[in-house]
Amino acid sequence: MTTAIEVTGISKQFVLRHTRSLKEAFIWLIKGRKGDLSEKFHALRDVDLVVEQGETVALLGFNGSGKSTLLKHISGVMIPDSGTVRTRGKVAGLIEVGAGFHHDLSGRDNVYLNGAILGMTEEQINERFQSIIDFAEIGQFIDTEVKFYSSGMYLRLAFSVAVHTNPEVFLVDEILAVGDEPFQQKCIAKIQELAAEGRTLVVVSHDLDLVSRICSRGVVLDHGHVTFDGSIHDAVAKLRGA
Amino acid sequence: MYRQRFLLKLLVRKELKVRYRGSVLGIIWSYVKPGVQFIVFYVALGVFLGLEQSSTNKSGLPNYAIYLFSGIILINFFTEALGNASRSIVGNGGLIKKIYLPRQLFPVASVWVSAVHFFPQLLILVVACLFSDWHPSFLQLLAAVAGFIIIALLATGLGLLFGAANVYFRDSENFVDMLLMIATWASPVMYSWTMVQHKLGEAWYSIYQVNPITIAVETFHYAFWLPTTDGSAGIPPHLLSLWIPVGLLVSAAVLVWGQLTFRRLEGRFAQEL
Ligand SMILES: Nc1ncnc2c1ncn2[C@@H]1O[C@H](COP(=O)(O)OP(=O)(O)OP(=O)(O)O)[C@@H](O)[C@H]1O
Ligand SMILES: [Mg+2]
């Protein structure tokens, strides 16, 4: 088996209070750089995570435990203070629904823009365009500006574009919350299909029943530490018990 | 590289679409605005203020409106490109902190959008020149191309620099605004380079000349304004042999500097935005 994601001993510190003005920074400089310009805390501390190709992993934990931060490190958006992150193949991150969508553009334009942002070429988008709108069931609304979409339609299109990027590693952060029941079923089926094809999946969700259906492994984060790593059922049990 | 070209194209198109959404005239606005601007200059400055050379005002510049406009459009391009590029990273923060993509595309796209807006202005200028009996040589047109490249490189370089700096210190936005105001006056857009030479003397004049914007504006005068006059006004000495290469070199150096700084700073964009 090949390793898809290898996170070794990463730590990340964030500042609690930002200094945004030159004045404060200047005073700090002429005072001889005394003290820290800003307070810091660890959002991730010594996190190790190895995910094999084809695994389906759920990242669980309470609000602010560092799940999204960890996903951002895997996708390359953030760079750790120490430790290394290595990934194999193309990584597609759905860190948030339709992050690359622009409200004033039509659904069609957004499919192209978002597809390109997620790393698709022009030919790939042309080729998969029909399949994207079929999956999203947007139909005649494809040339409407997305600001007039219902939030569910918006989500469908965003999700549809993302799954059509054909990534080897798929990162999903809290996106299955919207969407009606049939569409949720469809998304889950699609995710299971991707997993069956041997794609790697890392899902963040607070919907414990949902993740137990699509993931086989659970990793629990607490204040930036990995406190549990094992089967999804044990992970869910631990979280519920705690 | 190909992927980046495609994404760049889409980003530029998005910017243009969003800019003109819901307007009836759409992109035609970018012709109307400079056209009206030129007419205002011609009437207010040339006719009312009498900056135009005439029998009563021997020291004026012939075809002052064209002199002014050829410099103004270049400054317009620079102002819009740098202003938007400096704001582009913060403006696209929502995307940058969620999805990994080549971030330098945003400032670069801003410069491209401004270039798209520059061409209608150039067209208005050419029409005005044709009405004034314009007959440029090939060399003069080539000089104008060099001038445009100087500005484009400079705007991209400074745009990367201030776009990245703006993430950490929002002050840089205001700093850029101030810089742009100075840029208009620190180059011979409204006045003639000979005035600077007379007032400052040779040494300071050379320093004034190193400014790539000055050089670029002069190439535009050389290409668009000079061939509409009797040619007696002349261009700064060594414009072609010395100053254009200097301008290209300075701009290229600024671009490299901007790129290096951008690379050094971009690692922490996602958390600072
Ligand atoms: N750019 C940033 N600057 C400063 N602090 C940050 C930044 N990003 C995240 N944090 C902090 O890091 C901690 C972890 O945040 P993160 O978004 O990873 O939590 P999460 O586990 O995804 O929570 P949720 O379940 O609410 O989505 C939080 O305390 C948050 O305030
Ligand atoms: Mg989160």
Side-chain angles (χ1 to χ4, degrees):
Chain A
M1 247 201 182
T2 42
T3 306
I5 303 169
E6 191 181 339
V7 173
T8 336
I10 64 164
S11 294
K12 185 71 183 179
Q13 280 197 326
F14 284 133
V15 290
L16 283 172
R17 194 181 56 83
H18 286 264
T19 306
R20 280 260 188 262
S21 83
L22 273 176
K23 190 182 124 202
E24 278 177 63
F26 184 70
I27 290 170
W28 174 72
L29 265 182
I30 54 173
K31 278 187 176 165
R33 301 182 175 218
K34 247 185 255 135
D36 233 340
L37 191 55
S38 38
E39 279 176 75
K40 294 186 173 175
F41 78 101
H42 274 94
L44 292 176
R45 196 194 291 264
D46 251 328
V47 173
D48 292 299
L49 181 67
V50 178
V51 179
E52 301 296 332
Q53 196 184 332
E55 262 193 300
T56 49
V57 181
L59 285 183
L60 306 171
F62 297 122
N63 293 139
S65 53
K67 305 179 297 292
S68 302
T69 307
L70 181 54
L71 272 199
K72 285 179 183 177
H73 280 85
I74 296 173
S75 71
V77 169
M78 281 186 184
I79 296 171
D81 294 337
S82 58
T84 56
V85 176
R86 294 202 306 187
T87 53
R88 244 180 100 86
K90 195 160 95 181
V91 179
L94 254 196
I95 300 295
E96 221 166 86
V97 199
F101 271 37
H102 200 292
H103 286 259
D104 291 309
L105 295 181
S106 68
R108 183 184 302 274
D109 290 339
N110 268 310
V111 167
Y112 275 88
L113 184 61
N114 212 23
I117 286 170
L118 292 175
M120 280 200 266
T121 64
E122 190 164 10
E123 295 80 49
Q124 284 172 336
I125 302 177
N126 285 334
E127 204 176 283
R128 298 171 196 163
F129 189 80
Q130 196 53 45
S131 163
I132 290 172
I133 56 172
D134 286 347
F135 184 85
E137 297 168 40
I138 291 295
Q140 82 226 51
F141 294 104
I142 189 64
D143 287 309
T144 311
E145 291 166 22
V146 297
K147 65 178 164 194
F148 298 124
Y149 281 20
S150 74
S151 40
M153 285 163 66
Y154 191 86
L155 166 99
R156 284 164 178 242
L157 195 59
F159 185 86
S160 180
V161 174
V163 291
H164 282 85
T165 54
N166 243 355
E168 268 93 42
V169 178
F170 199 50
L171 309 174
V172 187
D173 192 350
E174 273 315 338
I175 64 150
L176 299 170
V178 212
D180 51 21
E181 181 71 23
F183 190 70
Q184 260 193 31
Q185 295 305 330
K186 198 167 160 181
C187 287
I188 294 166
K190 186 72 188 180
I191 287 178
Q192 281 166 340
E193 185 190 316
L194 287 173
E197 281 172 17
R199 318 263 170 190
T200 312
L201 220 63
V202 181
V203 181
V204 170
S205 178
H206 292 289
D207 187 339
L208 298 179
D209 295 325
L210 181 91
V211 292
S212 1
R213 284 177 57 198
I214 49 182
C215 298
S216 55
R217 177 175 162 197
V219 174
V220 179
L221 279 176
D222 184 18
H223 291 96
H225 292 278
V226 176
T227 53
F228 180 85
D229 187 350
S231 88
I232 185 72
H233 297 290
D234 297 344
V236 168
K238 179 177 159 69
L239 211 63
R240 287 215 163 111
Chain B
M1 187 59 211
Y2 174 75
R3 181 208 151 191
Q4 298 205 2
R5 279 232 313 269
F6 174 52
L7 183 52
L8 182 63
K9 190 176 84 183
L10 290 180
L11 287 175
V12 171
R13 200 184 291 162
K14 176 203 93 176
E15 213 41 60
L16 292 172
K17 267 193 185 163
V18 169
R19 182 89 53 98
Y20 294 109
R21 65 167 185 269
S23 75
V24 183
L25 289 182
I27 194 94
I28 295 177
W29 274 115
S30 55
Y31 292 84
V32 173
K33 277 189 283 188
V36 169
Q37 195 183 19
F38 179 77
I39 293 167
V40 168
F41 283 166
Y42 184 79
V43 175
L45 298 171
V47 180
F48 294 169
L49 278 177
L51 292 171
E52 177 94 27
Q53 195 177 48
S54 62
S55 48
T56 53
N57 180 19
K58 290 261 187 314
S59 64
L61 288 163
N63 284 339
Y64 182 72
I66 288 183
Y67 184 88
L68 186 58
F69 195 66
S70 55
I72 287 268
I73 63 168
L74 212 50
I75 293 288
N76 281 351
F77 170 50
F78 182 70
T79 307
E80 189 192 328
L82 180 53
N84 290 344
S86 306
R87 289 171 171 81
S88 63
I89 299 294
V90 171
N92 287 290
L95 198 53
I96 287 167
K97 63 182 175 185
K98 282 167 200 151
I99 298 179
Y100 180 75
L101 75 173
R103 292 109 172 182
Q104 62 272 37
L105 284 184
F106 293 110
V108 173
S110 302
V111 175
W112 275 95
V113 169
S114 311
V116 171
H117 286 146
F118 169 77
F119 282 99
Q121 305 186 39
L122 187 65
L123 202 72
I124 301 277
L125 175 65
V126 168
V127 169
C129 285
L130 288 176
F131 273 107
S132 315
D133 205 17
W134 184 48
H135 42 269
S137 70
F138 180 66
L139 189 64
Q140 286 170 324
L141 293 180
L142 214 61
V145 172
F148 179 77
I149 292 173
I150 288 174
I151 294 288
L153 294 181
L154 186 70
T156 312
L158 291 177
L160 286 167
L161 189 71
F162 287 113
N166 202 25
V167 174
Y168 298 88
F169 297 106
R170 300 294 152 92
D171 311 65
S172 59
E173 242 175 68
N174 296 305
F175 182 73
V176 166
D177 286 344
M178 194 177 70
L179 206 69
L180 289 174
M181 183 201 59
I182 298 171
T184 315
W185 293 95
S187 46
V189 179
M190 315 263 181
Y191 50 84
S192 149
W193 62 273
T194 49
M195 298 178 190
V196 180
Q197 201 180 24
H198 289 152
K199 294 261 154 81
L200 292 184
E202 280 305 324
W204 285 105
Y205 173 68
S206 300
I207 292 172
Y208 174 82
Q209 241 340 99
V210 173
N211 177 4
I213 305 173
T214 301
I215 299 168
V217 167
E218 283 164 356
T219 65
F220 265 51
H221 290 159
Y222 175 55
F224 296 104
W225 169 71
L226 198 65
T228 66
T229 67
D230 57 10
S232 59
I235 53 163
H238 317 301
L239 178 63
L240 296 180
S241 57
L242 173 66
W243 294 120
I244 291 182
V246 165
L248 286 168
L249 225 62
V250 171
S251 293
V254 169
L255 180 60
V256 171
W257 181 38
Q259 242 166 358
L260 291 178
T261 312
F262 193 90
R263 259 197 232 138
R264 204 156 44 78
L265 296 180
E266 74 173 338
R268 283 158 53 85
F269 279 177
Q271 71 201 65
E272 298 288 342
L273 278 165

